Amino acid sequence: MLIDIQDLETHPLDFHEEFGPGTIDFGAELRQSSPLRSEGRADLVEEHHGKHKVIQDIRLKGHLDTTLEVACARCLEPVVQQVQRDFDLLYRPLGADAGHEELSVTDAEAEISYFQGEGVLLEDVLREQVLLAVPLKTICREDCRGLCPHCGKNLNEGQCSCENHGNDPRWEALKDIREKLEQ
Ligand SMILES: [Zn+2]
Ligand SMILES: [Zn+2]
């Protein structure tokens, strides 16, 4: 859904959109498992730069929620994450700040991004907000034992037999010494 700056010149836009899994690409690491719901309002904000220049920003304020599955950083099993986020964002036409050192922001609490073309794609905004809401490293539980580095077995499901084969380097060193003594 394109939030068109020309439409906003006549009236603010209230949006209430739902995106099913697969509509928005969150990359290979994340799997969306419930509809992404979003609602909010897009407004035009006029920013005066000097006496003559007026910049028209798009302000996007709203809320999103969805459910994602993320691979556990240790054992790679999927972990369900509820994502909820409020956002209040300011989009400025790309190049509008050229030559201006500082950004005078109407609302200091809003974050500023830039857009190209006739407006902002709501899907792009939501993708970015979802990615910001998901922790970088997710683990399925505090005491997740991860995968065995030798055979790849998920150690939460039980012991593998690797640890009995003397792969620990300390035991390897002892074995070398014993072999030397026996010679
Ligand atoms: Zn895990
Ligand atoms: Zn193993």
Side-chain angles (χ1 to χ4, degrees):
M1 177 192 170
L2 180 74
I3 295 168
D4 193 319
I5 194 152
Q6 285 199 323
D7 291 346
L8 296 182
E9 279 172 10
T10 52
H11 54 83
L13 173 77
D14 289 314
F15 59 89
H16 192 109
E17 296 284 311
E18 201 170 296
F19 301 94
T23 320
I24 300 176
D25 182 12
F26 293 112
E29 315 262 292
L30 297 180
R31 209 179 72 82
Q32 185 188 335
S33 53
S34 78
L36 191 164
R37 287 182 298 259
S38 72
E39 55 181 58
R41 165 172 276 221
D43 257 318
L44 205 64
V45 176
E46 293 199 333
E47 192 80 53
H48 292 265
H49 274 202
K51 273 184 189 165
H52 307 292
K53 197 172 174 191
V54 176
I55 294 174
Q56 290 184 318
D57 295 335
I58 297 175
R59 183 176 186 177
L60 217 55
K61 197 171 176 244
H63 178 83
L64 70 86
D65 71 88
T66 188
T67 314
L68 296 165
E69 283 178 16
V70 190
C72 168
R74 291 185 197 157
C75 72
L76 307 179
E77 287 297 310
V79 185
V80 174
Q81 296 260 313
Q82 293 289 339
V83 173
Q84 291 191 11
R85 191 173 170 92
D86 294 316
F87 50 87
D88 186 355
L89 308 159
L90 215 52
Y91 288 87
R92 179 162 294 175
L94 191 69
D97 282 323
H100 289 267
E101 280 286 315
E102 67 187 287
L103 310 175
S104 56
V105 184
T106 306
D107 182 345
E109 280 167 35
E111 303 167 43
I112 288 197
S113 306
Y114 295 89
F115 72 90
Q116 253 180 314
E118 63 263 55
V120 176
L121 206 57
L122 183 62
E123 287 87 334
D124 288 345
V125 174
L126 295 175
R127 180 198 297 114
E128 196 179 297
Q129 291 302 307
V130 165
L131 294 178
L132 287 171
V134 176
L136 281 180
K137 207 168 183 177
T138 305
I139 50 173
C140 61
R141 56 178 212 232
E142 207 49 59
D143 62 346
C144 170
R145 301 181 63 214
L147 303 177
C148 168
H150 303 292
C151 69
K153 184 183 160 88
N154 184 344
L155 298 176
N156 298 316
E157 290 166 2
Q159 220 29 272
C160 64
S161 46
C162 295
E163 273 152 326
N164 304 326
H165 293 325
N167 276 348
D168 187 321
R170 288 167 300 178
W171 292 111
E172 292 291 320
L174 277 180
K175 208 173 90 192
D176 285 349
I177 293 171
R178 189 179 303 146
E179 277 166 9
K180 278 184 192 132
L181 289 174
E182 282 169 358
Q183 278 166 7

